[in-house]
Amino acid sequence: MTRREGSAFTGMRVVFFKELADLLSGSRMRFLEALVVLTALGTAYAAIQNIKNTVGEDPFLFLRLFTTAKDPLPSFVAFLGFLVPLLAIALGFDAVNGEFQRRTLGRILSQPIYRDVLLFGKFLAGLTTLAMVLTATWLFVTGLGILLTGLAPSGEEVARSLIYLVAAVAYGGVWLALSMLFSTLFKNPATSALATIAVWLFFTVFWGMIAGLLAPALSPVRYGFPDEVLRQAQVELALSRISPTTLYAEATLAILRPEVRALGPVLPLQLQGMVLGTPLPLSQSLLLIWPQFSGLIAASVILFVLAYVIFQRQEIRA
Amino acid sequence: MMTAIHTEHLTKRYGSVVAVRDLNLVVEEGEVFGILGPNGSGKTTTILMLLGLTEPSEGRVSVLGRDPVREPLAIKRRVGYLPDTVGFYEDLTGRENLRYTAALNGLPPRQREAKIEELLATMGLTDAADRPVRTYSRGMKQRLGLADVLLKEPELVILDEPTLGLDPQAAHEFLSMIRQLKGQGMTVILSSHLLHQVQAICDRVGLFKKGEMALVGSVQELAQRVLGGAYRIRLRVIGNIPTERLQKLPGVSRVHRSGEVVTVEAERDLRPELVRAIVEADGDLLEVGLEETTLDEVYRTYYGEVSDDAA
Ligand SMILES: Nc1ncnc2c1ncn2[C@@H]1O[C@H](COP(=O)(O)OP(=O)(O)OP(=O)(O)O)[C@@H](O)[C@H]1O
Ligand SMILES: [Mg+2]
C-alpha cells in the first residue's frame, strides 16, 4: 500500500478556480446562457398566462410557475429536465481528453498535484458553473413571477423551489460525472460527447419502455391476484428508478407539488386517515424525496469514482 | 557528491513490447546527462518513469533520494520536466499559463509575477507574453515550455528534446543557458537527436538501443569503445609510408591509408611518435593534425553496427 504524503488537496483550489474561469469565459457558456434565459422566459410567461385565472384558489400558486405547462410549451421543470443534462454534458465532455489533445496533461501532472485533484477540481468547477447558471435562472423566473403576478411567494414556497434547485444541480451532477467518465474513456471529445448524449437519450426515451417490457417478464401476473399486480408495478417502478431521469422527475414532483403524498403505487390501506388533496408539510415532502435525492448523489459518486480509477491508470501519452 | 538519479533493473512493458529493459542508470548531482538513441528506443519512457508519470513494470527508481511512485509530490516539487510535445492552454496568454504553473507550485503571488517576468525576458517572450498561446509559433511554445520548467526553480530538470523547433540562435542561447544552470549546481537530463548539441553540453551520455542502455560514458570514453580509438590523427605524407611500422606502435588501433593521407586511430595522442616513425622511415611529412572525434561519428558507427548485426 502506498501512503500519500502532503495534503491530498494540494492545488485543488488552484485547479478549481482556473477551470471555473475557463468554463465561465468560454464561448460555450454564452450559448448555454442564452438557451437557459430563453427557456425561462418562455415557460414562465406561458405559465403565468395559465395560472392568472386561478389566483386566489391555490395556496401554492407560486410553485405552479415551475410546473404548469401551456401548449405547446412544456413546464419549466420539464424544460430543465432536458436542459440540465445538456448543460452538464456541455461542461464536462472534453474535461480529460481535451487535456490530452492540447498536450497539457504531462506538463500539468509534473507539477506537484495528484491526478485526482485535477479530476475533482474539474468536476467541482463544472458543478459550480451549473449551479450558478441554474440559480440565475431560478432568480430570473422567481423575479418574473413576482413582477407579472404581483404576488410574493411564501416562505415555504421559496424553500421548496430552492430545494428543487438543489435537486436539479444534483441531477446535473450525474450527467457531469458521466460526461467526465466518457471524456477519460474516449480520446476524442466528439466521441465522448456523443456517447454521453446517447446514454442520456437511452434513459430519457427508451428506459421507461424497457422497464415496462421487463417488469411483466420478471414478475408475471399469473392469476390476476391484486398482490401480483402490485408486485409487477413495484418491479416496474424499481426498474425505472435506475434512470436518473426518473429520480429527478419524482423528486421534482414531490417537492413542487405539496399535495403529492407518495411516489409510486399507493395502497388503499395507506390512504386511510388521509384527507386527499391536503398538502404535505415541507418536512414530509423532504422525507419523501430523500431516497431520490440520495440516489442522484450516489450515482454521481459512483460515476466519478469510475472516472477516477480509469484516469489513475491511464498512460500520460495519448 | 550526491546521486541525483539511481535506477536498478528498471523495466517497462507495454503488453508484449518491452519499452525499457533492465536499466541501471546513475546520474550524479550537478551533472549534465544526455540520453541518445533512435526513435522508439525508450528515451521518453525512461523519463516518464523517473517522474512517476508512468509506473515501472519492474525495478526501482530513486530521484533525489526518493521513490517517484510512492512520493510523487516531493519529487515534482523539485524536478522540472519539459515533455517532448509541450502543450499549453491555447486561450490563455503565455503569462497566464505560467501563472497557473506557478500557483500549482505554491509560489507566493508577489514573488510569482517577478519570476514570470524574468523568465519571459530570458526566453525572449516579453512582447508575446500577453498574447494567447494560440498565436504562438512552434518555437515560441518551446521557449514558453522552458520558462515553465524553470519557474519552480528546480534542482533537477528533465528535458525531452528541448531544442526541437528552436531556431539556431535560440538553440545556441539555450545551450549556454544549460551551461549556466549547471554552473548553479542544477542537474540536467536531456534527450536529443541533435548530437553536436549533446556533445557540446553533456558530461556523459547514454546510448539507448531497443530499450536497453547499451553504452554510457563521456563522449571521449564512448569514442574509445565504439571507434576503437579515441584519438584520430591525420597525416599527409609523400614518399615512403611505413604503414606496417605505424601499426606496430603501442597504442595504435588502426591505420588507414588513402593516397597520401594516412589516418591513425589511437588510444592516446601519438602525434610525436608517429612523426618520428615517419621521419625515420624517410617519409616526407606535409601535415599532422588531430581530428576531434564527434559524437555524430560514434553514433553512426555504433548504430550502424547494430543494424548490421540485425541484418
Ligand atoms: N502507451 C504505449 N503503449 C504501447 N507501447 C508504447 C506506449 N508508449 C510507448 N510505447 C512503445 O515503447 C517504445 C519506446 O517508446 P519511447 O517513446 O520511449 O521512445 P523514444 O526513445 O522516446 O523515441 P523518440 O525518439 O521517437 O521520441 C516504443 O516501441 C513505443 O512503441
Ligand atoms: Mg521520445
Side-chain angles (χ1 to χ4, degrees):
Chain A
M1 193 59 207
T2 56
R3 195 177 53 84
R4 308 212 310 182
E5 30 82 32
S7 162
F9 295 104
T10 313
M12 170 75 88
R13 207 176 43 84
V14 179
V15 173
F16 171 75
F17 280 113
K18 188 254 169 202
E19 292 296 328
L20 189 64
D22 276 6
L23 288 177
L24 290 179
S25 65
S27 51
R28 71 180 97 172
M29 205 54 210
R30 302 282 91 75
F31 174 71
L32 295 175
E33 275 163 4
L35 202 64
V36 164
V37 164
L38 279 179
T39 310
L41 208 63
T43 55
Y45 186 74
I48 286 162
Q49 296 306 309
N50 228 11
I51 58 184
K52 261 191 174 161
N53 319 322
T54 55
V55 174
E57 297 160 25
D58 194 333
F60 291 104
L61 188 75
F62 195 74
L63 292 180
R64 302 288 177 258
L65 213 63
F66 295 96
T67 53
T68 308
K70 181 174 189 283
D71 262 353
L73 283 178
S75 69
F76 178 70
V77 289
F79 237 129
L80 278 200
F82 281 101
L83 275 185
V84 165
L86 217 60
L87 256 146
I89 293 168
L91 291 172
F93 76 96
D94 65 345
V96 175
N97 51 22
E99 299 275 343
F100 271 108
Q101 287 219 322
R102 284 187 297 253
R103 307 202 174 280
T104 41
L105 204 58
R107 207 169 51 76
I108 295 306
L109 291 184
S110 69
Q111 309 308 332
I113 55 163
Y114 289 113
R115 284 193 189 197
D116 43 334
V117 165
L118 185 67
L119 202 63
F120 197 51
K122 278 173 177 284
F123 180 75
L124 278 190
L127 204 63
T128 307
T129 308
L130 190 70
M132 281 162 74
V133 172
L134 291 181
T135 308
T137 318
W138 179 89
L139 283 171
F140 190 53
V141 171
T142 310
L144 214 61
I146 294 174
L147 270 181
L148 293 183
T149 60
L151 288 173
S154 71
E156 182 175 344
E157 282 176 316
V158 172
R160 280 179 182 271
S161 61
L162 277 177
I163 291 167
Y164 161 72
L165 188 63
V166 174
V169 173
Y171 179 54
V174 177
W175 297 108
L176 183 64
L178 184 73
S179 67
M180 282 183 63
L181 170 63
F182 283 169
S183 89
T184 37
L185 218 49
F186 302 113
K187 282 287 166 287
N188 187 336
T191 314
S192 57
L194 282 177
T196 327
I197 288 176
V199 172
W200 169 62
L201 271 180
F202 173 77
F203 276 126
T204 309
V205 180
F206 298 111
W207 184 246
M209 299 180 213
I210 292 173
L213 291 174
L214 275 180
L218 290 175
S219 169
V221 179
R222 287 210 185 79
Y223 311 104
F225 293 143
D227 64 325
E228 279 181 339
V229 177
L230 180 68
R231 189 163 320 117
Q232 191 177 60
Q234 279 167 339
V235 167
E236 187 178 339
L237 186 67
L239 280 175
S240 74
R241 279 178 179 161
I242 291 175
S243 160
T245 310
T246 310
L247 297 182
Y248 166 75
E250 287 185 337
T252 305
L253 183 73
I255 202 72
L256 290 183
R257 289 180 167 272
E259 66 275 15
V260 171
R261 308 200 62 104
L263 295 166
V266 180
L267 291 180
L269 192 71
Q270 288 173 319
L271 285 176
Q272 264 177 17
M274 287 181 183
V275 185
L276 264 173
T278 46
L280 273 186
L282 177 57
S283 59
Q284 292 299 309
S285 291
L286 248 179
L287 226 54
L288 198 60
I289 70 157
W290 196 246
Q292 275 72 9
F293 188 67
S294 332
L296 288 173
I297 303 234
S300 319
V301 170
I302 290 170
L303 290 169
F304 181 82
V305 166
L306 263 176
Y308 162 74
V309 169
I310 293 168
F311 185 48
Q312 203 72 6
R313 290 154 177 261
Q314 216 155 36
E315 282 295 325
I316 283 274
R317 279 181 289 186
Chain B
M1 195 152 48
M2 280 255 304
T3 307
I5 286 177
H6 189 180
T7 75
E8 284 170 20
H9 308 296
L10 191 61
T11 299
K12 178 70 186 185
R13 284 188 215 90
Y14 291 110
S16 61
V17 180
V18 184
V20 174
R21 189 195 305 270
D22 196 28
L23 175 69
N24 298 294
L25 173 69
V26 177
V27 178
E28 301 296 339
E29 240 169 45
E31 207 177 1
V32 179
F33 189 87
I35 300 180
L36 297 184
N39 298 131
S41 56
K43 304 183 296 294
T44 299
T45 310
T46 303
I47 287 174
L48 291 177
M49 283 193 285
L50 294 180
L51 288 155
L53 289 178
T54 191
E55 231 170 290
S57 311
E58 266 169 47
R60 289 189 342 105
V61 191
S62 153
V63 176
L64 301 173
R66 290 165 189 266
D67 179 346
V69 178
R70 298 170 122 239
E71 298 173 284
L73 293 205
I75 290 176
K76 286 170 182 175
R77 262 189 280 273
R78 296 158 68 195
V79 179
Y81 165 54
L82 181 73
D84 50 356
T85 44
V86 62
F88 289 93
Y89 298 101
E90 305 267 307
D91 290 338
L92 300 184
T93 66
R95 193 191 302 276
E96 285 165 344
N97 268 290
L98 292 186
R99 258 186 215 138
Y100 186 38
T101 306
L104 286 174
N105 280 284
L107 250 67
R110 229 177 316 127
Q111 201 180 320
R112 191 187 299 169
E113 292 305 312
K115 185 81 195 160
I116 290 174
E117 199 58 60
E118 177 199 322
L119 282 169
L120 283 169
T122 317
M123 293 301 156
L125 287 173
T126 310
D127 293 337
D130 296 305
R131 266 170 32 202
V133 172
R134 204 172 344 101
T135 66
Y136 282 25
S137 72
R138 173 84 183 77
M140 286 162 81
K141 280 184 204 166
Q142 194 71 16
R143 292 178 192 214
L144 189 61
L146 288 167
D148 189 72
V149 167
L150 297 177
L151 202 52
K152 62 172 103 164
E153 305 189 331
E155 294 162 44
L156 164 68
V157 289
I158 302 182
L159 312 168
D160 206 347
E161 307 194 24
T163 50
L164 198 72
L166 294 187
D167 60 48
Q169 178 63 28
H172 185 77
E173 282 165 14
F174 167 74
L175 294 186
S176 41
M177 199 183 70
I178 296 282
R179 279 200 204 93
Q180 201 185 325
L181 294 176
K182 179 184 158 63
Q184 294 163 11
M186 199 182 287
T187 313
V188 181
I189 294 186
L190 58 94
S191 91
S192 178
H193 293 298
L194 299 174
L195 303 172
H196 58 281
Q197 290 181 0
V198 173
Q199 181 163 19
I201 52 169
C202 290
D203 300 318
R204 288 193 306 145
V205 293
L207 295 187
F208 275 67
K209 159 183 109 190
K210 293 183 196 137
E212 286 180 87
M213 190 173 69
L215 279 178
V216 57
S218 66
V219 174
Q220 214 37 262
E221 287 164 5
L222 292 187
Q224 177 88 42
R225 301 259 292 277
V226 175
L227 301 175
Y231 291 84
R232 188 174 282 220
I233 300 148
R234 222 178 80 112
L235 307 138
R236 255 180 76 202
V237 186
I238 41 179
N240 186 27
I241 300 177
T243 320
E244 291 286 296
R245 205 168 144 190
L246 296 184
Q247 192 88 59
K248 288 205 190 86
L249 281 175
V252 170
S253 45
R254 215 158 71 95
V255 179
H256 177 79
R257 180 187 165 179
S258 80
E260 51 187 42
V261 177
V262 180
T263 313
V264 177
E265 285 173 13
E267 290 162 15
R268 288 177 288 123
D269 185 1
L270 287 177
R271 274 178 297 179
E273 288 87 339
L274 291 171
V275 169
R276 205 172 303 128
I278 289 168
V279 172
E280 279 169 11
D282 287 337
D284 294 327
L285 188 63
L286 299 182
E287 264 177 52
V288 191
L290 189 61
E291 269 183 16
E292 230 189 302
T293 47
T294 58
L295 188 53
D296 192 71
E297 221 172 328
V298 174
Y299 189 94
R300 268 188 290 116
T301 310
Y302 178 65
Y303 289 104
E305 278 167 14
V306 171
S307 48
D308 288 350
D309 288 353

